[in-house]
Amino acid sequence: DTAVSQTPKYLVTQMGNDKSIKCEQNLGHDTMYWYKQDSKKFLKIMFSYNNKELIINETVPNRFSPKSPDKAHLNLHINSLELGDSAVYFCASSQGPYGEDTQYFGPGTRLTVL
Amino acid sequence: GENVEQHPSTLSVQEGDSAVIKCTYSDSASNYFPWYKQELGKGPQLIIDIRSNVGEKKDQRIAVTLNKTAKHFSLHITETQPEDSAVYFCAASRGWGKLQFGAGTQVVVTP
């Protein structure tokens, strides 16, 4: 059984378009995250939600908007896509929002903006 | 904010040899230090972690050491195998799930 799943796995789109990435976890965790991994493989946290409430909101353009319909899902919507948005986006989840809770990562979504 | 530096960026070892990756952090309030392994085309996976009240932790061929005074921690892999080839990330956190990752180390184990 997949613990943290993301769709789609690959996303190729034109500049200016709006796209969404979906994430679901079946671990019963309360906290979910979005990370961005750039072309140099650097991983940076973007957002985290605990029980559908936003708790981490890093310096991310407001074109990025996370939405958590329930605690098992955290979707990422991106407006007006730019070339610099090309990256691999990872969803993750943990039991709680505390620093010591293991974060389980999904397989990633490779976004390419042309 | 927290800044984590990781060295080396690439590491080539012969199968059976040991591999050591070192990280330093800047925030003295950081209290949790996980290590993640990322295989090609996959998401990072936790392999070992250490908390600030512990100096060393071992799990089979993998060990992590922490020096809080010097603000550095290291990953040691003994008896390396080809399946250990991957990118390894260190991270540090002072709480609330906010992991600050190092830049990663590409480990290549040659038979």
Side-chain angles (χ1 to χ4, degrees):
Chain A
D1 281 345
T2 304
V4 181
S5 59
Q6 296 178 227
T7 53
K9 187 166 177 62
Y10 300 98
L11 186 52
V12 181
T13 189
Q14 299 287 333
M15 272 176 45
N17 284 350
D18 302 339
K19 291 293 179 185
S20 292
I21 306 171
K22 295 185 176 182
C23 178
E24 177 181 2
Q25 55 95 3
N26 63 4
L27 298 167
H29 288 167
D30 288 340
T31 308
M32 296 184 73
Y33 310 80
W34 277 109
Y35 284 86
K36 179 181 181 180
Q37 186 171 49
D38 63 23
S39 58
K40 296 184 178 179
K41 292 204 172 290
F42 187 69
L43 266 168
K44 186 170 173 58
I45 191 167
M46 300 172 69
F47 304 101
S48 79
Y49 272 72
N50 184 59
N51 279 324
K52 302 193 299 175
E53 297 292 327
L54 180 68
I55 56 171
I56 294 176
N57 185 357
E58 288 296 279
T59 308
V60 176
N62 56 16
R63 298 182 295 103
F64 290 78
S65 53
K67 285 186 172 53
S68 182
D70 54 61
K71 70 176 191 179
H73 296 84
L74 180 62
N75 304 322
L76 184 65
H77 188 75
I78 316 170
N79 289 327
S80 303
L81 278 156
E82 300 177 357
L83 293 176
D85 298 332
S86 294
V88 180
Y89 292 85
F90 288 100
C91 176
S93 73
S94 63
Q95 183 64 57
Y98 309 107
E100 300 180 1
D101 290 324
T102 301
Q103 294 186 24
Y104 295 85
F105 283 75
T109 295
R110 181 175 293 277
L111 171 64
T112 303
V113 182
L114 303 175
Chain B
E2 177 66 276
N3 182 45
V4 177
E5 294 192 1
Q6 182 172 346
H7 299 281
S9 57
T10 59
L11 181 58
S12 293
V13 295
Q14 291 283 338
E15 183 177 357
D17 287 350
S18 295
V20 180
I21 303 170
K22 298 182 178 182
C23 288
T24 60
Y25 61 99
S26 60
D27 188 347
S28 56
S30 290
N31 54 15
Y32 175 63
F33 307 91
W35 286 87
Y36 283 82
K37 176 183 180 182
Q38 185 177 21
E39 296 177 342
L40 194 61
K42 296 184 178 180
Q45 182 177 21
L46 180 77
I47 54 171
I48 196 167
D49 57 14
I50 192 166
R51 288 154 178 77
S52 59
N53 58 347
V54 175
E56 184 174 353
K57 183 177 178 180
K58 189 174 181 180
D59 182 5
Q60 299 182 341
R61 298 186 295 109
I62 294 174
V64 58
T65 58
L66 171 65
N67 183 327
K68 280 203 70 181
T69 304
K71 289 192 278 190
H72 66 70
F73 56 113
S74 301
L75 178 72
H76 303 252
I77 307 173
T78 58
E79 300 172 21
T80 53
Q81 301 168 4
E83 53 265 37
D84 294 329
S85 295
V87 179
Y88 291 80
F89 292 95
C90 63
S93 172
R94 62 180 296 175
W96 294 106
K98 188 175 176 179
L99 292 178
Q100 183 71 37
F101 282 88
T105 297
Q106 175 74 61
V107 173
V108 178
V109 180
T110 52

